[in-house]
């Protein structure tokens, strides 16, 4: 009797196994359908409809899953991604591993939604092993940092630790790579290094950053060099503190400006910077010395040194005690501020004892005093200046916006001599410019090394500065004198093109 029941039980077990296989196969097949994808997306949104936005979901849960727009608002932060794609290996879950072959995102924005600093987590241990072959982000935007482009990294982590390897990151003209390992128990010891090569393919700078300590107190040491310049620095950071930067000490020497800022006059700079919390503020200093000070016509930068004290608190940067020592003994002093919340700022500058001929020997030797005020935001800045020199006064109002400086109005007076000016200069491309002047008894020899004159009328100049200087000058002058002789000119007589 028992022998007869055994084949029946085997048949039942086989049938049950077959049904299980069919059920699993059906489940796997269903996971590949659009209905499963849409069900999963709806369940994720239902977890917190006020904080989770999921749009444009396409593809398959078992193949490539694409998300057009993802937004998640957590406690104190906001994550937003565009153009996401996910490739994973679901079969690896059977072995306790979440295996992600590739995650891509066109853009990712991460920002803070509150003023409270994040807290150090209790543990970083993961409940299962996670392997990510490649994470690629086209554009990554983080608070108060330059935009990161072309981010590529791989990651692995489990209950014992985490490893991140930077395959390629682009920040401005720099390419970065490196590796870091982080433990999972407090205070989360960290060990890593980052290498940066900067210079838009010319390798102007090679820098290495060493990371030690922990996520509670992180130590960073910098060693960099390039084109004869050397830089060293160290920083102590508390990433989960309300004030992350606890100490900064940076020095650089033998910096030749020509490779870094082509087109500008030459300088050889030594830089020192320091910062640390004090009286509830982050305070710092910046010192800059120029060993090759000279006049602009000699191809040199006309300053010998600069000093600055600054502070930061609640999104407000304050620059105090700015002092720039100019070639020839003149000085520019000033102060300013920048509001990160509104993206606006202002600066006030005082000019004292500036000798124009020591700035550029093509100018007359005038002593200039005065003040300038700059106000604006990242898109545009308005400048107002009031200057005095040897009995002459200049008042000017200008606007810098969209890669263009516009001289809205300016009035230059010296005794009875007067010139009303306006014009513009494009800062990019061929650097095209235009200048218009209405002259009354104007003597240019007061300001430049030219013959004396007394000019009345209108003069305009248009042209470009790049690749070579060109000027198209027109004038209509009457009742004027040049080198002591009567002088008059019509447009068709004076219109000329200079190169």
């Amino acid at each position: 009797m028992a022998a007869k029941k055994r084949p029946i039980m085997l048949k039942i077990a086989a049938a049950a196994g077959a049904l299980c296989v069919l059920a699993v196969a059906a489940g796997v097949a269903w996971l590949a359908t659009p209905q499963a994808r849409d069900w999963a997306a709806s369940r994720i949104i239902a977890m917190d409809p006020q904080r989770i936005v999921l749009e444009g979901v396409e593809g398959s849960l078992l193949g490539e899953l694409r998300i057009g727009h993802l937004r998640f608002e957590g406690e104190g932060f906001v994550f937003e991604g565009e153009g996401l794609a996910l490739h994973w290996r679901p079969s690896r879950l059977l072995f306790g591993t979440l295996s992600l072959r590739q995650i891509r995102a066109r853009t990712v924005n991460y920002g803070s939604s509150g003023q409270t600093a994040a807290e150090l987590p209790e543990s970083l241990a993961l409940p299962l092993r996670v392997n990510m072959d490649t994470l690629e982000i086209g554009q990554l935007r983080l608070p108060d940092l330059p935009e990161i482009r072309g981010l590529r990294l791989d990651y692995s982590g489990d209950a014992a630790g985490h490893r991140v390897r930077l395959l390629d990151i682009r920040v401005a003209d720099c390419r970065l790579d490196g590796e870091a390992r982080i433990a999972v128990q407090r205070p989360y010891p960290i060990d890593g290094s980052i290498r940066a090569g900067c210079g838009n393919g010319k390798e102007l700078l090679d820098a290495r950053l060493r990371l030690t300590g922990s996520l509670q107190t992180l130590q960073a040491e910098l060693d960099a060099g390039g084109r004869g310049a050397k830089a060293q620095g160290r920083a102590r950071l508390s990433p989960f503190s309300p004030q992350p930067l606890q100490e900064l000490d940076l020095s650089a020497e033998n910096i030749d400006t020509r490779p870094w800022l082509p087109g500008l006059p030459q300088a050889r700079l030594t830089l020192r910077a320091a910062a640390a919390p004090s009286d509830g503020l982050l305070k710092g200093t910046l010192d800059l010395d120029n060993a090759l000070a000279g006049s602009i016509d000699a191809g040199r930068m006309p300053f010998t040194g600069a000093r600055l004290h600054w502070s930061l608190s609640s999104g407000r940067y304050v620059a105090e005690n700015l002092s720039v020592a100019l070639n020839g003994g003149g000085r520019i002093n000033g102060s300013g501020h920048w509001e990160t919340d509104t993206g606006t700022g202002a600066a006030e500058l005082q000019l004292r004892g500036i000798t124009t001929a020591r700035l550029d020997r093509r100018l007359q030797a005038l002593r200039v005093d005065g003040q300038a005020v700059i106000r604006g935001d990242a898109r545009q800045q308005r400048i107002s200046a009031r200057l005095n020199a040897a009995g002459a006064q200049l008042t000017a109002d200008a606007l810098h916006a969209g890669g263009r400086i516009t001289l809205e109005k300016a009035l230059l007076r010296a005794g009875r001599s007067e010139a009303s000016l306006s014009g513009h200069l494009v800062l990019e491309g061929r650097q095209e410019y235009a200048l218009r002047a209405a002259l009354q008894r104007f003597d240019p020899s007061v300001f430049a090394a030219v013959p004396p004159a007394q000019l009345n009328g209108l003069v305009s100049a248009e042209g470009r500065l790049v690749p070579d200087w060109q000027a198209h000058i027109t004038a209509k002058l009457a009742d004027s004198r040049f080198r002591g002789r009567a002088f008059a000119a019509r447009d068709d007589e004076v219109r000329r093109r200079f190169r």
Side-chain angles (χ1 to χ4, degrees), residues 64-362:
E64 180 183 71
L65 183 64
R66 298 181 298 277
I67 302 173
H69 176 69
L70 169 64
R71 177 183 172 87
F72 176 69
E73 184 173 349
E75 295 294 336
F77 72 91
V78 176
F79 173 91
E80 194 161 12
E82 302 280 347
L84 290 88
L86 167 68
H87 296 261
W88 70 309
R89 305 179 182 93
S91 61
R92 302 287 178 88
L93 288 174
L94 298 175
F95 304 96
T97 298
L98 175 60
S99 179
L100 303 168
R101 185 163 61 88
Q102 185 183 54
I103 298 178
R104 300 194 315 271
R106 186 171 61 252
T107 61
V108 170
N109 297 316
Y110 179 89
S112 174
S113 61
Q115 300 298 323
T116 303
E119 295 183 358
L120 195 68
E122 291 299 324
S123 174
L124 293 179
L126 299 178
L128 74 167
R129 176 179 292 276
V130 177
N131 290 329
M132 183 190 306
D133 293 349
T134 307
L135 169 65
E136 299 180 2
I137 300 177
Q139 294 176 310
L140 175 61
R141 302 184 184 99
L142 301 172
D144 303 322
L145 292 176
E147 181 181 276
I148 297 174
R149 296 177 288 110
L151 169 65
R152 293 180 60 245
L153 60 82
D154 65 33
Y155 165 82
S156 64
D158 53 24
H162 305 266
R163 182 190 64 84
V164 179
R165 189 161 61 100
L166 306 178
L167 304 176
D168 187 18
I169 302 178
R170 300 177 189 175
V171 182
D173 287 334
C174 298
R175 299 175 69 94
L176 291 78
D177 60 68
E179 183 174 351
R181 296 179 181 273
I182 306 174
V184 298
Q185 300 297 329
R186 281 178 174 246
Y188 311 115
I190 184 171
D191 182 75
S193 62
I194 299 174
R195 178 189 176 275
C198 305
N200 197 21
K202 299 179 181 179
E203 289 298 317
L204 295 180
L205 173 69
D206 183 76
R208 297 180 184 276
L209 185 67
R210 176 74 173 158
L211 302 175
T212 57
S214 68
L215 290 184
Q216 187 169 10
T217 303
L218 182 64
Q219 306 283 346
E221 294 185 0
L222 173 69
D223 187 9
R227 297 294 177 92
K230 295 182 180 181
Q232 292 182 329
R234 58 184 177 83
R236 181 164 53 89
L237 306 166
S238 295
F240 292 89
S241 169
Q243 179 51 262
L245 180 59
Q246 295 297 307
E247 183 182 7
L248 172 67
D249 189 1
L250 175 66
S251 64
E253 60 183 12
N254 203 34
I255 305 173
D256 186 343
T257 55
R258 290 174 301 179
W260 309 94
L261 302 170
L264 287 184
Q266 185 182 10
R268 191 170 299 280
L269 305 176
T270 298
L271 177 148
R272 295 176 299 277
S278 176
D279 301 327
L281 304 175
L282 179 63
K283 295 184 177 182
T285 60
L286 176 65
D287 294 335
L288 197 63
D289 293 314
N290 179 13
L292 289 181
S295 59
I296 295 174
D297 62 293
R300 302 288 181 87
M301 285 193 179
F303 79 95
T304 59
R307 307 289 181 266
L308 173 66
H309 293 253
W310 59 269
S311 64
L312 168 63
S313 176
S314 301
R316 179 182 173 88
Y317 290 90
V318 177
E320 301 172 333
N321 303 324
L322 169 65
S323 179
V324 180
L326 300 177
N327 192 43
R331 189 171 292 275
I332 299 175
N333 300 320
S335 62
H337 69 271
W338 180 263
E339 309 287 346
T340 59
D341 292 342
T342 61
T344 59
E348 297 183 3
L349 305 175
Q350 292 80 41
L351 288 70
R352 297 289 182 266
I354 299 175
T355 304
T356 54
R358 297 299 296 271
L359 304 183
D360 193 313
R361 290 174 297 187
R362 293 167 292 190

